[in-house]
Amino acid sequence: GTIVAIATETPAEQGQFEAGLIVNTTIPVAADFVRGTFLAALPQLPLTLLNSVIALTSLAEKLFPDKTEHCSERRVSMSIGALNLPFLWFGAMPSCHGAGGLSAQYRFGARSALSMMFLGAVKIILAVSVGDSLSHTLLFFPKSVLGVLLAFSGSELALVAVGGMKMMTPDQTLVLLMTAGTSMAVNTGIGFVAGVVTTLVLKHASVAAEDRHLYEGVSRPEGEPGDHMPASSRQDEYSYEDLGGAGSIGGGPSVVN
């Protein structure tokens, strides 16, 4: 895809090639923090929590079940913060992890941290040697090749999701459908809110049902047939023949010869 992009790049864009890395420092002011909070951070927060934290850790647990202690929601969140805070002062674009990236890397053979180190080294070399000129070339990256890569990534995510849905409870399935459906119909933020509200409603209904069953068990008179009747109040029948006679004891009239 990169070769095709270089070959199809227009002469005007090719003339903009500049080797080397250009670094500009940026000192944000109070107005930048206010604008960034309401226009970028808050709208991005649901997507980051769902895709970069929750979905990522869940996918990592399924793909690497023997290494789950290295990937938790807390550690991933701290990693995202540590990734962005140092580069804030250089005007860098916000970055995060993603379940789609992990599934694509796994689909194409990544199984250890060595693959991530190799990918990071390649990106650093390109950034230092080519710099911002690479962004002009990527504009000509063929969409067909990108579509194939995304198809493989999506198929890997779909296979994991199908396997996980088989073990989901009806309540979990409902939360999944509400979140996904609302996200596709409106946007990710509203979908996130819909999923949270659905979870809270189902949790409240479950607690109410448990309290009702507990109340019914306590209020039922002792000895009344029911699931909560104390075991000591149940009349167990014993065959009188076991005691050397005929008839029964404890379950009705007994006949003694």
Side-chain angles (χ1 to χ4, degrees), residues 221-224 226-238 250:
E222 185 175 350
E224 181 181 337
D227 294 337
H228 300 281
M229 184 173 62
S232 60
S233 65
R234 295 174 184 153
Q235 297 181 349
D236 300 284
E237 294 189 358
Y238 299 94

PDB file of all heavy atoms in Angstrom, residues 221-224 226-238 250:
ATOM      1  N   PRO A 221     -45.211 -18.813  57.105  1.00  0.00           N
ATOM      2  CA  PRO A 221     -45.261 -19.507  58.404  1.00  0.00           C
ATOM      3  C   PRO A 221     -44.437 -20.784  58.358  1.00  0.00           C
ATOM      4  O   PRO A 221     -44.372 -21.461  57.342  1.00  0.00           O
ATOM      5  CB  PRO A 221     -46.759 -19.808  58.596  1.00  0.00           C
ATOM      6  CG  PRO A 221     -47.459 -18.840  57.698  1.00  0.00           C
ATOM      7  CD  PRO A 221     -46.554 -18.604  56.543  1.00  0.00           C
ATOM      8  N   GLU A 222     -43.820 -21.066  59.498  1.00  0.00           N
ATOM      9  CA  GLU A 222     -42.984 -22.258  59.573  1.00  0.00           C
ATOM     10  C   GLU A 222     -43.845 -23.492  59.429  1.00  0.00           C
ATOM     11  O   GLU A 222     -44.894 -23.632  60.045  1.00  0.00           O
ATOM     12  CB  GLU A 222     -42.258 -22.296  60.921  1.00  0.00           C
ATOM     13  CG  GLU A 222     -41.276 -23.454  61.024  1.00  0.00           C
ATOM     14  CD  GLU A 222     -40.478 -23.399  62.308  1.00  0.00           C
ATOM     15  OE1 GLU A 222     -40.551 -22.371  63.004  1.00  0.00           O
ATOM     16  OE2 GLU A 222     -39.787 -24.384  62.618  1.00  0.00           O
ATOM     17  N   GLY A 223     -43.398 -24.399  58.606  1.00  0.00           N
ATOM     18  CA  GLY A 223     -44.138 -25.620  58.359  1.00  0.00           C
ATOM     19  C   GLY A 223     -44.973 -25.569  57.118  1.00  0.00           C
ATOM     20  O   GLY A 223     -45.459 -26.587  56.646  1.00  0.00           O
ATOM     21  N   GLU A 224     -45.193 -24.357  56.549  1.00  0.00           N
ATOM     22  CA  GLU A 224     -45.963 -24.229  55.314  1.00  0.00           C
ATOM     23  C   GLU A 224     -45.111 -24.701  54.152  1.00  0.00           C
ATOM     24  O   GLU A 224     -43.930 -24.358  54.072  1.00  0.00           O
ATOM     25  CB  GLU A 224     -46.379 -22.787  55.106  1.00  0.00           C
ATOM     26  CG  GLU A 224     -47.225 -22.581  53.843  1.00  0.00           C
ATOM     27  CD  GLU A 224     -47.593 -21.130  53.668  1.00  0.00           C
ATOM     28  OE1 GLU A 224     -47.583 -20.401  54.681  1.00  0.00           O
ATOM     29  OE2 GLU A 224     -47.906 -20.731  52.525  1.00  0.00           O
ATOM     30  N   GLY A 226     -43.053 -24.996  50.974  1.00  0.00           N
ATOM     31  CA  GLY A 226     -42.389 -23.958  50.189  1.00  0.00           C
ATOM     32  C   GLY A 226     -40.906 -24.196  50.151  1.00  0.00           C
ATOM     33  O   GLY A 226     -40.362 -24.996  50.910  1.00  0.00           O
ATOM     34  N   ASP A 227     -40.244 -23.444  49.274  1.00  0.00           N
ATOM     35  CA  ASP A 227     -38.811 -23.625  49.110  1.00  0.00           C
ATOM     36  C   ASP A 227     -38.036 -23.197  50.337  1.00  0.00           C
ATOM     37  O   ASP A 227     -36.949 -23.690  50.599  1.00  0.00           O
ATOM     38  CB  ASP A 227     -38.323 -22.822  47.892  1.00  0.00           C
ATOM     39  CG  ASP A 227     -38.912 -23.368  46.613  1.00  0.00           C
ATOM     40  OD1 ASP A 227     -39.299 -24.550  46.613  1.00  0.00           O
ATOM     41  OD2 ASP A 227     -39.007 -22.590  45.633  1.00  0.00           O
ATOM     42  N   HIS A 228     -38.598 -22.206  51.120  1.00  0.00           N
ATOM     43  CA  HIS A 228     -37.859 -21.664  52.236  1.00  0.00           C
ATOM     44  C   HIS A 228     -38.246 -22.312  53.568  1.00  0.00           C
ATOM     45  O   HIS A 228     -37.886 -21.827  54.613  1.00  0.00           O
ATOM     46  CB  HIS A 228     -38.089 -20.144  52.323  1.00  0.00           C
ATOM     47  CG  HIS A 228     -37.636 -19.434  51.091  1.00  0.00           C
ATOM     48  ND1 HIS A 228     -36.317 -19.140  50.846  1.00  0.00           N
ATOM     49  CD2 HIS A 228     -38.333 -18.989  50.023  1.00  0.00           C
ATOM     50  CE1 HIS A 228     -36.219 -18.516  49.692  1.00  0.00           C
ATOM     51  NE2 HIS A 228     -37.423 -18.420  49.176  1.00  0.00           N
ATOM     52  N   MET A 229     -39.043 -23.394  53.548  1.00  0.00           N
ATOM     53  CA  MET A 229     -39.453 -24.048  54.783  1.00  0.00           C
ATOM     54  C   MET A 229     -38.244 -24.676  55.443  1.00  0.00           C
ATOM     55  O   MET A 229     -37.458 -25.366  54.780  1.00  0.00           O
ATOM     56  CB  MET A 229     -40.504 -25.120  54.475  1.00  0.00           C
ATOM     57  CG  MET A 229     -41.061 -25.788  55.727  1.00  0.00           C
ATOM     58  SD  MET A 229     -42.434 -26.877  55.312  1.00  0.00           S
ATOM     59  CE  MET A 229     -41.613 -28.052  54.244  1.00  0.00           C
ATOM     60  N   PRO A 230     -38.021 -24.429  56.720  1.00  0.00           N
ATOM     61  CA  PRO A 230     -36.864 -25.008  57.385  1.00  0.00           C
ATOM     62  C   PRO A 230     -36.847 -26.512  57.271  1.00  0.00           C
ATOM     63  O   PRO A 230     -37.883 -27.172  57.327  1.00  0.00           O
ATOM     64  CB  PRO A 230     -37.032 -24.550  58.844  1.00  0.00           C
ATOM     65  CG  PRO A 230     -37.923 -23.354  58.767  1.00  0.00           C
ATOM     66  CD  PRO A 230     -38.826 -23.597  57.608  1.00  0.00           C
ATOM     67  N   ALA A 231     -35.656 -27.040  57.094  1.00  0.00           N
ATOM     68  CA  ALA A 231     -35.526 -28.482  56.912  1.00  0.00           C
ATOM     69  C   ALA A 231     -35.985 -29.239  58.147  1.00  0.00           C
ATOM     70  O   ALA A 231     -36.498 -30.356  58.062  1.00  0.00           O
ATOM     71  CB  ALA A 231     -34.078 -28.832  56.578  1.00  0.00           C
ATOM     72  N   SER A 232     -35.826 -28.622  59.344  1.00  0.00           N
ATOM     73  CA  SER A 232     -36.176 -29.306  60.580  1.00  0.00           C
ATOM     74  C   SER A 232     -37.671 -29.509  60.734  1.00  0.00           C
ATOM     75  O   SER A 232     -38.121 -30.346  61.517  1.00  0.00           O
ATOM     76  CB  SER A 232     -35.636 -28.522  61.783  1.00  0.00           C
ATOM     77  OG  SER A 232     -36.190 -27.226  61.795  1.00  0.00           O
ATOM     78  N   SER A 233     -38.490 -28.702  60.001  1.00  0.00           N
ATOM     79  CA  SER A 233     -39.943 -28.792  60.141  1.00  0.00           C
ATOM     80  C   SER A 233     -40.563 -29.746  59.144  1.00  0.00           C
ATOM     81  O   SER A 233     -41.762 -29.966  59.162  1.00  0.00           O
ATOM     82  CB  SER A 233     -40.568 -27.411  59.968  1.00  0.00           C
ATOM     83  OG  SER A 233     -40.343 -26.961  58.642  1.00  0.00           O
ATOM     84  N   ARG A 234     -39.751 -30.287  58.229  1.00  0.00           N
ATOM     85  CA  ARG A 234     -40.286 -31.208  57.245  1.00  0.00           C
ATOM     86  C   ARG A 234     -40.414 -32.594  57.866  1.00  0.00           C
ATOM     87  O   ARG A 234     -39.542 -33.014  58.629  1.00  0.00           O
ATOM     88  CB  ARG A 234     -39.395 -31.260  56.024  1.00  0.00           C
ATOM     89  CG  ARG A 234     -39.334 -29.936  55.259  1.00  0.00           C
ATOM     90  CD  ARG A 234     -38.337 -30.023  54.155  1.00  0.00           C
ATOM     91  NE  ARG A 234     -38.214 -28.737  53.482  1.00  0.00           N
ATOM     92  CZ  ARG A 234     -37.131 -28.327  52.856  1.00  0.00           C
ATOM     93  NH1 ARG A 234     -36.064 -29.096  52.832  1.00  0.00           N
ATOM     94  NH2 ARG A 234     -37.100 -27.156  52.271  1.00  0.00           N
ATOM     95  N   GLN A 235     -41.508 -33.293  57.560  1.00  0.00           N
ATOM     96  CA  GLN A 235     -41.732 -34.621  58.100  1.00  0.00           C
ATOM     97  C   GLN A 235     -41.173 -35.648  57.150  1.00  0.00           C
ATOM     98  O   GLN A 235     -41.667 -35.827  56.064  1.00  0.00           O
ATOM     99  CB  GLN A 235     -43.236 -34.856  58.318  1.00  0.00           C
ATOM    100  CG  GLN A 235     -43.854 -33.915  59.354  1.00  0.00           C
ATOM    101  CD  GLN A 235     -45.314 -34.202  59.535  1.00  0.00           C
ATOM    102  OE1 GLN A 235     -45.899 -34.949  58.763  1.00  0.00           O
ATOM    103  NE2 GLN A 235     -45.907 -33.609  60.561  1.00  0.00           N
ATOM    104  N   ASP A 236     -40.105 -36.267  57.566  1.00  0.00           N
ATOM    105  CA  ASP A 236     -39.487 -37.297  56.744  1.00  0.00           C
ATOM    106  C   ASP A 236     -40.094 -38.648  57.111  1.00  0.00           C
ATOM    107  O   ASP A 236     -40.256 -38.963  58.294  1.00  0.00           O
ATOM    108  CB  ASP A 236     -37.987 -37.358  56.964  1.00  0.00           C
ATOM    109  CG  ASP A 236     -37.325 -36.052  56.608  1.00  0.00           C
ATOM    110  OD1 ASP A 236     -37.143 -35.719  55.531  1.00  0.00           O
ATOM    111  OD2 ASP A 236     -36.987 -35.358  57.389  1.00  0.00           O
ATOM    112  N   GLU A 237     -40.403 -39.399  56.119  1.00  0.00           N
ATOM    113  CA  GLU A 237     -41.013 -40.710  56.348  1.00  0.00           C
ATOM    114  C   GLU A 237     -39.938 -41.773  56.469  1.00  0.00           C
ATOM    115  O   GLU A 237     -38.982 -41.774  55.705  1.00  0.00           O
ATOM    116  CB  GLU A 237     -41.957 -41.065  55.205  1.00  0.00           C
ATOM    117  CG  GLU A 237     -43.168 -40.149  55.130  1.00  0.00           C
ATOM    118  CD  GLU A 237     -44.183 -40.663  54.146  1.00  0.00           C
ATOM    119  OE1 GLU A 237     -43.902 -41.711  53.522  1.00  0.00           O
ATOM    120  OE2 GLU A 237     -45.228 -40.033  53.984  1.00  0.00           O
ATOM    121  N   TYR A 238     -40.103 -42.611  57.437  1.00  0.00           N
ATOM    122  CA  TYR A 238     -39.188 -43.716  57.619  1.00  0.00           C
ATOM    123  C   TYR A 238     -39.994 -45.005  57.565  1.00  0.00           C
ATOM    124  O   TYR A 238     -41.061 -45.103  58.166  1.00  0.00           O
ATOM    125  CB  TYR A 238     -38.465 -43.631  58.973  1.00  0.00           C
ATOM    126  CG  TYR A 238     -37.645 -42.391  59.136  1.00  0.00           C
ATOM    127  CD1 TYR A 238     -38.197 -41.266  59.764  1.00  0.00           C
ATOM    128  CD2 TYR A 238     -36.343 -42.320  58.670  1.00  0.00           C
ATOM    129  CE1 TYR A 238     -37.466 -40.114  59.923  1.00  0.00           C
ATOM    130  CE2 TYR A 238     -35.603 -41.166  58.825  1.00  0.00           C
ATOM    131  CZ  TYR A 238     -36.168 -40.068  59.457  1.00  0.00           C
ATOM    132  OH  TYR A 238     -35.422 -38.945  59.612  1.00  0.00           O
ATOM    133  N   GLY A 250     -44.013 -41.208  61.183  1.00  0.00           N
ATOM    134  CA  GLY A 250     -43.806 -39.813  60.856  1.00  0.00           C
ATOM    135  C   GLY A 250     -44.510 -39.366  59.604  1.00  0.00           C
ATOM    136  O   GLY A 250     -44.599 -38.187  59.314  1.00  0.00           O
TER     137      GLY A 250
END
